Amino acid sequence: MTRGRQGDGTRGSLEHLTGVVRELTGRGGAPGRRGTGLDGWRVQDWHAALLDVPLDERAYADRFQVTREQEIELLWAWWSGRARPVEPRTAGYLGYYLLTLVAMHSSDRMRFHGDAPWDVTVAGCLTAEVSGALVGDPDVRRALAALHDPGRADGPGSGAGSGSGAADAGTTGSARALAEWAALDLTSLEFFRHGTTSIILIGRLAQPSRGRTAAFVLKCVIHPYLTIPTIVAATRGYLTEHGRPDADEPSPAVPVWASHDSWILMDLVRGRTIGEYLAGRAAEQPAPPPREILRPVDTPALRDLGGALLSALADLERDGRRHDDLTPSNIIVQDEQPGRIRLRFVDLGVNHLHARSITGQGQGEGVFTAPEVRRDGVGHPLADVYSLGALLVAIAGIPHNPDGTVPDQFYVVSVGLARLLEDLTDADPRRRLLVTPVDPARPRFEQIGRVSADEVAILEQDGRERPRTAWQRLRDLSPGAGTVARQRRMLQVRTGQVRDATGAAHLRQARRLQRWAWLFAVLVWSATALVVTWWSRDLGLSWQAKWFEMADEVFGRSGVGLVFLDDVRADDYPIPDPWGNLPVRLVTLTFALVTARLYLNVFAELSTVWALPAGRGPRVRAVTAEVGLRSLAVLPVIYVVLPTLVQRDWWPLGTLVGHVTFAVVVQACLWFAWDTNARARAAGLSSVPRGEIATLGRLAAWQPTVAVYLAPIIGIGTLLSLGLVQDELVYASFVSLINLGIFYPKSAGTDAPYIRAGMNRAALAAERLEHLRRTRE
């Protein structure tokens, strides 16, 4: 690791270097005047010391009794001062040492704290500003060039820990690497950005050549990471593995010129990374809503940027290549015009920062790396599929879940999109693309792209994810909130998307749900109109309803009033009777409004039979829950119509039976969801969280609420039926206030997205379990 200077006994050790830095910066005393011994160090001495820098921040602090961040602050204050009591050459190497520490600090902030690369700070400045000033110094550039020169006898990859192969390769360097290095104008180097294991620079060729851009990117591995054999080997072999210099067709992968033990040389592609692009887009959006589950899905970004990503991956796949490190910092947005976005890929191959080669629990961009890559440290044929799913979540503007499950927002707005994301991001690569209709004999990303485009097109018809005006927010309080019209628009789009049996099945399911929603809307609004009509008759208001007159004529009825319907009214149920009929009018009208909002806002788009389970128990649970959900489209209307048309004294019974019906249906749904989630966990499906599912808990919380509500309903309703109490209007007002004060705004309103998310997650888990069973047969 250390090499001595011949003749004067100077040792190129990190202890010596940090001791001199302590003297120069005045740590522990007054600043020194000279960098004792460093002026005589050779390149290999600096190389040995830099390789010895601890990878871990705590190890650095334990070894040198100062935190790495404090060392950066002190050394930056010294280096940026006007007077440096060392030779310019030594100052350049000290600047490079500081650059190394800053790069490692930036890497750790990205890795352990999830900081965005452009937001990392140190010494009161952005790390990009510090690094830019350092690389802008001619002495630092000369030190960098000397340390990474492939022609040196002890190449950058030849340090301890790099392996004998790396040492052999670094001895003279490949002919191509030497030639490319010689063609660079190293005085033109500028800092570009920090990578996870590298410092990325840009520069120009000394003599531009035909057929090649004059500008280049030089990605230099941070020196301490050169002690890891896998990183050195991957860097050295990058040109061979990913260069494809003789490819006939243009590739989304950025062309590579050369690679050596410690650096990769490639084309400079101008543009923001996807990470920067999404950060800029997020800054332009309104503040997220107070409830995270209502955070809107960025549909235009999914359409434009997500579509461009899938097109680029399809092109890469046609080229016979894969990425294995598909993260936001490795994708360049080259053209940002709407509808003309082009993406380019850099840094193909496993990033050992996210794998076992470097210890620690990663954060930040590690969430985009497939679990098998993080676990094994090698690429996998389906790793890019996982990364694609994680990227689509980020592109949609939704934060990732810590456990890797699909965020709830997708289950709220689009079952189809949630299904696709589950299928892309399953932790087990054998279960990816389990449900999505992808032919393994054909290029997969082209097929995934079609499915994704279909689901985004349907989501565009939804409208709930768009920013809401004051009028739209007021309209959202209405019972239906446009559910039937939205389902009709989405059904029209899906009808034109059917290409296979899976698409046909989804179309049939969507058509079935839309028909039930339409039927319910007709029934509930007819029942509501009936209540309002009867109330107007109680108040003596004129009501010109032609369809009532037509019914009388059809059935040959004549007389005063609405004869056809009045025939079924009990003799002791007079009309008009404003005060006597007021209880039944209040309760039935508020019950109809709550029923309308509950079904259309919560249950209309839920289904538990996307794929019927094979087992008897799971099948019974799924069918029971489905029958219960659809019964809510009919039974509540009966509980409104019968007391209104036949006998006004039935409203306490109707209230009781109505709430019992909802309680039974909710219990059937919970029975299905709890069993499905338990089976999914037992099968190892990663789409279902391991612990309690908070969204499903909202539905479970309904049961004690209904139980508490049923107690007085049963008690007071029984007393009213027996004539033991006379305060019928007070009781009816109590029931109506509960309907409008609790069930309408909370159960059918604020709870709705949580319940849709919890039930849709369970329904899709049941579908995945059934497809998993079929694959095992």
Side-chain angles (χ1 to χ4, degrees):
M1 177 64 69
T2 61
R3 293 171 175 79
R5 176 174 171 82
Q6 296 179 358
D8 63 3
T10 301
R11 294 181 57 81
S13 70
L14 184 58
E15 278 70 16
H16 188 176
L17 173 58
T18 55
V20 172
V21 168
R22 183 168 55 249
E23 175 189 343
L24 291 171
T25 60
R27 178 161 53 89
R33 295 188 58 81
R34 298 290 299 174
T36 306
L38 295 185
D39 291 343
W41 274 22
R42 296 178 299 177
V43 176
Q44 55 263 43
D45 297 321
W46 286 100
H47 176 62
L50 291 166
L51 287 175
D52 197 26
V53 175
L55 289 170
D56 181 71
E57 186 172 13
R58 180 169 295 178
Y60 189 98
D62 291 343
R63 182 171 171 182
F64 301 114
Q65 302 304 304
V66 63
T67 67
R68 189 171 60 201
E69 190 167 354
Q70 290 172 333
E71 189 84 310
I72 292 171
E73 292 174 355
L74 292 169
L75 190 52
W76 171 243
W78 172 85
W79 192 91
S80 58
R82 294 186 176 181
R84 301 179 196 152
V86 294
E87 293 181 3
R89 175 180 179 276
T90 302
Y93 279 102
L94 285 169
Y96 186 82
Y97 171 59
L98 175 57
L99 180 64
T100 299
L101 296 181
V102 171
M104 296 183 71
H105 171 76
S106 181
S107 176
D108 277 2
R109 292 301 305 183
M110 290 185 282
R111 182 185 180 198
F112 296 116
H113 304 279
D115 288 3
W118 54 89
D119 282 337
V120 181
T121 60
V122 72
C125 306
L126 292 172
T127 54
E129 294 174 353
V130 175
S131 299
L134 291 170
V135 177
D137 186 274
D139 294 320
V140 175
R141 288 199 299 269
R142 281 190 283 269
L144 184 151
L147 287 164
H148 290 278
D149 186 352
R152 281 193 16 248
D154 61 334
S158 62
S162 61
S164 59
D168 295 341
T171 302
T172 58
S174 70
R176 178 160 185 165
L178 288 169
E180 294 288 358
W181 186 266
L184 305 181
D185 178 6
L186 297 174
T187 65
S188 69
L189 291 178
E190 300 175 20
F191 177 78
F192 190 46
R193 60 169 58 102
H194 285 293
T196 48
T197 58
S198 61
I199 303 164
I200 303 174
L201 312 170
I202 59 175
R204 299 184 306 275
L205 291 173
Q207 296 291 332
S209 58
R210 180 176 300 177
R212 171 176 291 184
T213 61
F216 63 80
V217 168
L218 181 64
K219 176 185 174 183
C220 297
V221 178
I222 304 170
H223 252 73
Y225 290 126
L226 292 172
T227 61
I228 300 173
T230 50
I231 291 182
V232 175
T235 306
R236 182 194 320 117
Y238 191 87
L239 174 66
T240 303
E241 183 70 20
H242 305 292
R244 303 291 176 89
D246 300 323
D248 295 329
E249 297 294 329
S251 170
V254 174
V256 180
W257 300 2
S259 61
H260 193 56
D261 292 4
S262 68
W263 52 263
I264 299 170
L265 186 65
M266 64 186 79
D267 267 2
L268 170 61
V269 175
R270 297 286 183 181
R272 295 186 290 177
T273 66
I274 273 191
E276 293 168 329
Y277 179 93
L278 293 177
R281 188 175 181 89
E284 298 171 355
Q285 302 298 318
R291 291 189 295 158
E292 180 60 30
I293 199 167
L294 296 180
R295 182 188 289 265
V297 172
D298 193 341
T299 309
L302 281 175
R303 180 193 61 226
D304 298 333
L305 190 59
L309 175 60
L310 278 154
S311 296
L313 284 170
D315 290 340
L316 192 70
E317 184 178 31
R318 279 190 289 268
D319 198 26
R321 308 161 76 180
R322 65 174 191 258
H323 198 294
D324 287 327
D325 186 27
L326 205 59
T327 61
S329 64
N330 288 339
I331 307 172
I332 307 297
V333 183
Q334 190 173 11
D335 193 340
E336 299 184 11
Q337 298 182 35
R340 294 179 53 189
I341 293 178
R342 187 189 181 199
L343 303 182
R344 304 295 298 277
F345 298 130
V346 297
D347 291 350
L348 280 68
V350 173
N351 184 338
H352 297 278
L353 183 70
H354 303 142
R356 282 186 168 183
S357 299
I358 305 173
T359 59
Q361 180 62 42
Q363 296 185 30
E365 293 200 335
V367 303
F368 299 95
T369 305
E372 65 273 18
V373 175
R374 295 198 299 268
R375 181 186 65 243
D376 302 331
V378 296
H380 190 279
L382 291 175
D384 287 350
V385 171
Y386 181 93
S387 299
L388 167 64
L391 282 165
L392 290 177
V393 171
I395 289 171
I398 305 298
H400 289 89
N401 284 345
D403 61 0
T405 55
V406 175
D408 291 326
Q409 291 88 339
F410 293 99
Y411 296 94
V412 174
V413 299
S414 173
V415 173
L417 190 55
R419 176 190 290 113
L420 174 62
L421 292 174
E422 281 188 357
D423 224 19
L424 298 176
T425 58
D426 198 298
D428 187 341
R430 295 169 299 179
R431 295 174 180 172
R432 287 177 204 149
L433 303 179
L434 180 67
V435 178
T436 306
V438 172
D439 183 355
R442 298 165 50 206
R444 63 171 63 95
F445 285 109
E446 183 178 344
Q447 300 176 71
I448 297 172
R450 283 197 295 269
V451 175
S452 176
D454 287 349
E455 296 302 338
V456 171
I458 291 171
L459 183 58
E460 287 182 304
Q461 302 302 316
D462 186 299
R464 285 177 295 191
E465 82 290 349
R466 301 183 187 122
R468 317 300 287 168
T469 64
W471 167 250
Q472 288 170 323
R473 287 193 295 269
L474 183 63
R475 187 173 178 268
D476 288 342
L477 297 177
S478 66
T483 299
V484 176
R486 181 174 62 251
Q487 284 186 315
R488 184 180 66 252
R489 294 194 304 269
M490 297 166 73
L491 183 62
Q492 289 172 346
V493 175
R494 191 172 288 281
T495 301
Q497 297 175 346
V498 176
R499 303 186 187 91
D500 48 38
T502 301
H506 292 165
L507 175 62
R508 288 194 298 272
Q509 186 80 305
R511 184 176 287 130
R512 182 176 65 86
L513 293 177
Q514 197 271 341
R515 287 171 177 170
W516 275 104
W518 182 86
L519 173 64
F520 172 76
V522 171
L523 292 177
V524 77
W525 292 123
S526 297
T528 304
L530 188 69
V531 173
V532 173
T533 301
W534 260 236
W535 205 339
S536 70
R537 295 177 68 193
D538 284 330
L539 298 175
L541 300 177
S542 174
W543 190 270
Q544 299 296 328
K546 293 296 183 183
W547 65 279
F548 285 129
E549 297 177 8
M550 291 174 60
D552 286 343
E553 293 178 3
V554 168
F555 290 93
R557 309 299 296 156
S558 62
V560 179
L562 305 176
V563 182
F564 171 68
L565 295 178
D566 284 341
D567 281 349
V568 299
R569 193 173 74 245
D571 294 337
D572 58 347
Y573 176 11
I575 293 180
D577 185 4
W579 285 105
N581 292 336
L582 185 57
V584 69
R585 303 290 181 254
L586 285 173
V587 173
T588 53
L589 180 62
T590 57
F591 189 78
L593 293 175
V594 170
T595 297
R597 198 175 196 206
L598 269 174
Y599 189 82
L600 294 176
N601 203 32
V602 181
F603 301 119
E605 295 170 288
L606 296 183
S607 177
T608 58
V609 291
W610 289 103
L612 276 175
R616 179 180 178 183
R619 179 181 287 264
V620 169
R621 290 182 178 91
V623 171
T624 301
E626 183 69 19
V627 171
L629 288 171
R630 304 290 77 85
S631 73
L632 294 181
V634 178
L635 294 181
V637 175
I638 297 175
Y639 307 148
V640 170
V641 170
L642 288 180
T644 301
L645 281 182
V646 181
Q647 176 54 267
R648 67 183 181 182
D649 294 337
W650 288 354
W651 70 262
L653 179 62
T655 301
L656 172 63
V657 175
H659 286 85
V660 169
T661 300
F662 275 109
V664 170
V665 172
V666 168
Q667 190 57 48
C669 290
L670 290 171
W671 188 38
F672 160 78
W674 286 336
D675 174 73
T676 299
N677 290 337
R679 291 189 296 117
R681 293 186 183 107
L685 289 186
S686 62
S687 58
V688 176
R690 298 295 96 184
E692 181 182 356
I693 301 177
T695 52
L696 202 58
R698 289 295 186 104
L699 185 60
W702 281 16
Q703 298 300 67
T705 302
V706 171
V708 170
Y709 187 40
L710 282 176
I713 288 178
I714 294 173
I716 300 176
T718 301
L719 294 176
L720 283 173
S721 301
L722 297 175
L724 298 178
V725 295
Q726 303 299 322
D727 298 327
E728 184 179 8
L729 182 58
V730 173
Y731 175 52
S733 299
F734 166 75
V735 171
S736 300
L737 286 174
I738 294 295
N739 285 341
L740 294 181
I742 295 179
F743 292 120
Y744 191 90
K746 184 181 184 299
S747 301
T750 56
D751 283 352
Y754 298 95
I755 295 167
R756 289 203 302 269
M759 286 300 299
N760 281 331
R761 189 186 292 272
L764 292 183
E767 182 183 38
R768 291 188 70 76
L769 284 169
E770 179 58 19
H771 279 78
L772 184 62
R773 181 194 65 81
R774 294 172 186 172
T775 61
R776 291 173 174 173
E777 290 182 347

